Short mmCIF file of all heavy atoms in Angstrom, two decimals:
data_model
loop_
_atom_site.label_atom_id
_atom_site.label_comp_id
_atom_site.label_asym_id
_atom_site.label_seq_id
_atom_site.Cartn_x
_atom_site.Cartn_y
_atom_site.Cartn_z
N SER A 34 -60.15 21.57 8.23
CA SER A 34 -59.10 20.57 8.42
C SER A 34 -57.71 20.89 7.96
O SER A 34 -56.74 20.16 8.22
CB SER A 34 -59.64 19.23 7.72
OG SER A 34 -59.72 19.60 6.25
N ARG A 36 -56.22 23.57 8.75
CA ARG A 36 -55.38 24.35 9.73
C ARG A 36 -54.22 23.61 10.28
O ARG A 36 -54.27 22.37 10.65
CB ARG A 36 -56.31 24.65 10.91
CG ARG A 36 -55.58 25.45 12.00
CD ARG A 36 -56.53 26.04 12.95
NE ARG A 36 -55.65 26.70 14.02
CZ ARG A 36 -56.22 27.38 14.99
NH1 ARG A 36 -57.44 27.53 15.09
NH2 ARG A 36 -55.32 27.90 15.95
N ASP A 38 -52.03 23.67 13.12
CA ASP A 38 -51.81 24.12 14.51
C ASP A 38 -51.11 23.13 15.34
O ASP A 38 -51.40 23.18 16.62
CB ASP A 38 -52.98 24.79 15.06
CG ASP A 38 -54.15 23.62 15.19
OD1 ASP A 38 -53.90 22.47 14.67
OD2 ASP A 38 -55.15 23.83 15.61
N ASP A 39 -50.36 22.12 14.88
CA ASP A 39 -50.01 21.08 15.73
C ASP A 39 -48.53 21.05 15.90
O ASP A 39 -47.90 20.09 16.11
CB ASP A 39 -50.50 19.77 15.18
CG ASP A 39 -49.90 19.47 13.70
OD1 ASP A 39 -49.51 20.47 13.20
OD2 ASP A 39 -49.83 18.33 13.47
N LEU A 40 -47.83 22.17 15.59
CA LEU A 40 -46.45 22.16 16.06
C LEU A 40 -46.32 21.94 17.51
O LEU A 40 -47.08 22.41 18.34
CB LEU A 40 -45.87 23.58 15.57
CG LEU A 40 -45.27 23.82 14.22
CD1 LEU A 40 -44.94 25.27 14.10
CD2 LEU A 40 -44.20 22.84 13.90
N ARG A 95 -49.41 20.62 7.12
CA ARG A 95 -49.34 20.13 8.48
C ARG A 95 -50.54 19.39 8.93
O ARG A 95 -51.65 19.56 8.23
CB ARG A 95 -49.24 21.37 9.47
CG ARG A 95 -48.02 22.23 9.28
CD ARG A 95 -46.86 21.53 9.77
NE ARG A 95 -47.04 21.19 11.05
CZ ARG A 95 -45.92 20.78 11.97
NH1 ARG A 95 -44.75 20.97 11.55
NH2 ARG A 95 -46.21 20.35 13.23
N GLN A 96 -50.43 18.44 9.74
CA GLN A 96 -51.52 17.70 10.32
C GLN A 96 -52.00 18.26 11.63
O GLN A 96 -51.40 19.20 12.07
CB GLN A 96 -51.15 16.26 10.56
CG GLN A 96 -50.62 15.58 9.29
CD GLN A 96 -51.61 15.48 8.17
OE1 GLN A 96 -52.79 15.37 8.45
NE2 GLN A 96 -51.34 15.55 6.91
N ARG A 97 -52.99 17.66 12.12
CA ARG A 97 -53.52 18.26 13.39
C ARG A 97 -52.88 17.76 14.68
O ARG A 97 -52.00 16.94 14.61
CB ARG A 97 -55.10 17.83 13.46
CG ARG A 97 -55.85 18.37 12.29
CD ARG A 97 -57.36 18.30 12.45
NE ARG A 97 -57.87 19.08 13.56
CZ ARG A 97 -58.08 20.44 13.60
NH1 ARG A 97 -57.97 21.08 12.37
NH2 ARG A 97 -58.48 21.01 14.63
N ASP A 98 -53.29 18.42 15.81
CA ASP A 98 -52.70 18.08 17.04
C ASP A 98 -52.80 16.57 17.49
O ASP A 98 -51.97 16.21 18.18
CB ASP A 98 -53.21 18.99 18.18
CG ASP A 98 -52.77 20.38 18.04
OD1 ASP A 98 -51.63 20.59 17.41
OD2 ASP A 98 -53.38 21.26 18.49
N ASP A 99 -53.88 16.08 17.07
CA ASP A 99 -54.11 14.73 17.60
C ASP A 99 -53.12 13.72 17.05
O ASP A 99 -53.02 12.55 17.48
CB ASP A 99 -55.50 14.24 17.25
CG ASP A 99 -55.89 14.38 15.76
OD1 ASP A 99 -54.98 14.90 15.11
OD2 ASP A 99 -56.89 13.93 15.33
N HIS A 100 -52.27 14.08 16.05
CA HIS A 100 -51.27 13.20 15.66
C HIS A 100 -50.01 13.35 16.39
O HIS A 100 -49.09 12.47 16.25
CB HIS A 100 -50.91 13.46 14.10
CG HIS A 100 -52.13 13.13 13.19
ND1 HIS A 100 -52.62 11.99 13.05
CD2 HIS A 100 -52.78 13.99 12.31
CE1 HIS A 100 -53.65 12.02 12.21
NE2 HIS A 100 -53.73 13.25 11.65
N GLU A 101 -49.78 14.38 17.17
CA GLU A 101 -48.67 14.69 17.85
C GLU A 101 -48.27 13.55 18.81
O GLU A 101 -47.12 13.11 18.84
CB GLU A 101 -48.77 15.89 18.65
CG GLU A 101 -47.46 16.48 19.26
CD GLU A 101 -46.84 17.52 18.40
OE1 GLU A 101 -47.26 17.69 17.29
OE2 GLU A 101 -45.84 18.10 18.90
N SER A 102 -49.24 13.07 19.47
CA SER A 102 -49.00 12.06 20.46
C SER A 102 -48.57 10.69 19.83
O SER A 102 -47.64 10.05 20.33
CB SER A 102 -50.23 11.86 21.43
OG SER A 102 -51.23 11.39 20.58
N ASP A 103 -49.12 10.44 18.58
CA ASP A 103 -48.65 9.25 17.92
C ASP A 103 -47.23 9.37 17.59
O ASP A 103 -46.51 8.39 17.55
CB ASP A 103 -49.56 9.15 16.70
CG ASP A 103 -51.01 8.87 17.12
OD1 ASP A 103 -51.30 8.36 18.18
OD2 ASP A 103 -51.96 9.00 16.20
N ASP A 104 -46.85 10.69 17.06
CA ASP A 104 -45.44 10.71 16.64
C ASP A 104 -44.44 10.57 17.82
O ASP A 104 -43.46 9.93 17.77
CB ASP A 104 -45.15 12.12 16.06
CG ASP A 104 -45.77 12.16 14.83
OD1 ASP A 104 -46.26 11.19 14.17
OD2 ASP A 104 -45.92 13.29 14.28
N ASP A 105 -44.94 11.04 18.96
CA ASP A 105 -44.03 10.95 20.24
C ASP A 105 -43.93 9.43 20.65
O ASP A 105 -42.97 9.19 21.22
CB ASP A 105 -44.64 11.84 21.27
CG ASP A 105 -44.39 13.28 21.01
OD1 ASP A 105 -43.48 13.59 20.11
OD2 ASP A 105 -45.14 14.23 21.44
N ASN A 106 -45.04 8.74 20.42
CA ASN A 106 -44.98 7.36 20.82
C ASN A 106 -44.04 6.59 20.03
O ASN A 106 -43.58 5.45 20.55
CB ASN A 106 -46.40 6.68 20.79
CG ASN A 106 -47.38 7.30 21.72
OD1 ASN A 106 -47.02 7.86 22.81
ND2 ASN A 106 -48.61 7.29 21.37
N GLU A 448 -46.48 18.11 25.24
CA GLU A 448 -47.55 18.11 24.40
C GLU A 448 -48.74 19.00 24.85
O GLU A 448 -49.51 19.49 23.99
CB GLU A 448 -48.11 16.64 24.47
CG GLU A 448 -47.28 15.56 23.87
CD GLU A 448 -46.83 16.03 22.53
OE1 GLU A 448 -47.69 16.42 21.78
OE2 GLU A 448 -45.71 15.69 22.17
N GLU A 510 -44.17 13.72 7.99
CA GLU A 510 -45.56 13.27 7.78
C GLU A 510 -45.84 12.78 6.38
O GLU A 510 -45.28 13.45 5.30
CB GLU A 510 -46.46 14.51 8.03
CG GLU A 510 -46.49 14.98 9.52
CD GLU A 510 -47.31 16.11 9.86
OE1 GLU A 510 -47.80 16.73 8.78
OE2 GLU A 510 -47.48 16.50 10.97
#
Side-chain angles (χ1 to χ4, degrees):
S34 61
R36 176 172 176 175
D38 59 357
D39 61 339
L40 275 175
R95 299 288 307 202
Q96 302 297 325
R97 299 191 63 82
D98 286 332
D99 51 356
H100 296 299
E101 186 98 351
S102 59
D103 295 336
D104 290 343
D105 291 336
N106 292 336
E448 297 303 326
E510 293 177 353

